[in-house]
Amino acid sequence: MSKENKKDTTGWKNEDFLQMCNWVERELMGYSGTQRLHKNACLRLQGLRKGQSMANNSHEMYGEYPIDVIFNTFKANKYVILKAIKGKTFNSEDQKMAYICAIVSSRINDMYTRMKNAKKSEEKSEKIDIGAQNSEAAKYQRQTEEVINSTFEGIW
């Protein structure tokens, strides 16, 4: 398969996933340069998309989450994750990634709900008629009369 055909099959969804993987490598795992996540760590990240602990097509899927929801969950909980892994020692990268993914998977439904509600409120705000804001009836009219005290007027 040529590079052009391979690029077409990866699509933009995989580019978003790779961007998330790079962020996890840099921000959470502390990798720099040419150091990358191993296969099992990437499978755990793929498993989050399907509601599984590790991506496996022979197991039942417990959810279908978009990459942006997972990525936003990682970003929103970055300091929680860093604080949780700070004092722990892990035997392997896989064990560390499993711990991180367990934290994220427990918070992913909250992020999904927040993003869904934000999208609904954005759609509602687009539907609001702004004509009432420009109407003459919407101008402020004073309800009371202005009281002028003439007692002190001659002093100043």
Side-chain angles (χ1 to χ4, degrees):
M1 186 185 292
S2 69
K3 282 188 176 182
E4 291 176 14
N5 291 341
K6 189 173 184 179
K7 186 176 181 181
D8 291 339
T9 59
T10 58
W12 62 271
K13 289 183 181 180
N14 285 336
E15 290 175 12
D16 291 343
F17 181 76
L18 290 175
Q19 183 181 7
M20 181 179 71
C21 287
N22 289 334
W23 187 88
V24 169
E25 288 170 353
R26 256 188 351 268
E27 302 293 327
L28 299 179
M29 302 298 274
Y31 293 169
S32 61
T34 59
Q35 195 174 11
R36 299 283 178 226
L37 292 174
H38 290 133
K39 178 183 170 184
N40 287 342
C42 291
L43 286 174
R44 289 200 183 274
L45 292 176
Q46 284 284 359
L48 287 175
R49 293 173 64 185
K50 299 175 182 180
Q52 301 171 329
S53 62
M54 186 175 275
N56 190 340
N57 290 335
S58 63
H59 287 93
E60 188 174 339
M61 294 188 335
Y62 296 106
E64 186 73 27
Y65 299 104
I67 294 172
D68 60 338
V69 172
I70 299 167
F71 196 17
N72 286 337
T73 307
F74 271 109
K75 288 178 182 178
N77 295 294
K78 174 184 175 182
Y79 295 109
V80 173
I81 295 167
L82 290 175
K83 185 178 178 183
I85 63 175
K86 184 178 181 181
K88 299 210 181 312
T89 55
F90 299 98
N91 293 335
S92 65
E93 176 188 83
D94 187 44
Q95 193 178 35
K96 186 175 184 179
M97 184 56 76
Y99 190 75
I100 291 170
C101 288
I103 293 171
V104 170
S105 67
S106 67
R107 291 170 164 82
I108 199 165
N109 282 330
D110 295 333
M111 181 59 70
Y112 183 78
T113 305
R114 286 171 55 190
M115 289 180 69
K116 186 173 72 171
N117 290 340
K119 188 174 181 179
K120 281 183 183 178
S121 66
E122 184 179 315
E123 289 172 358
K124 284 181 182 179
S125 67
E126 289 175 357
K127 292 179 182 177
I128 294 176
D129 183 25
I130 60 170
Q133 294 176 354
N134 298 333
S135 175
E136 292 293 323
K139 284 188 176 179
Y140 174 74
Q141 294 178 355
R142 190 179 189 125
Q143 298 286 327
T144 59
E145 294 180 16
E146 188 174 331
V147 178
I148 300 173
N149 193 349
S150 62
T151 307
F152 297 109
E153 197 146 322
I155 298 175
W156 281 277

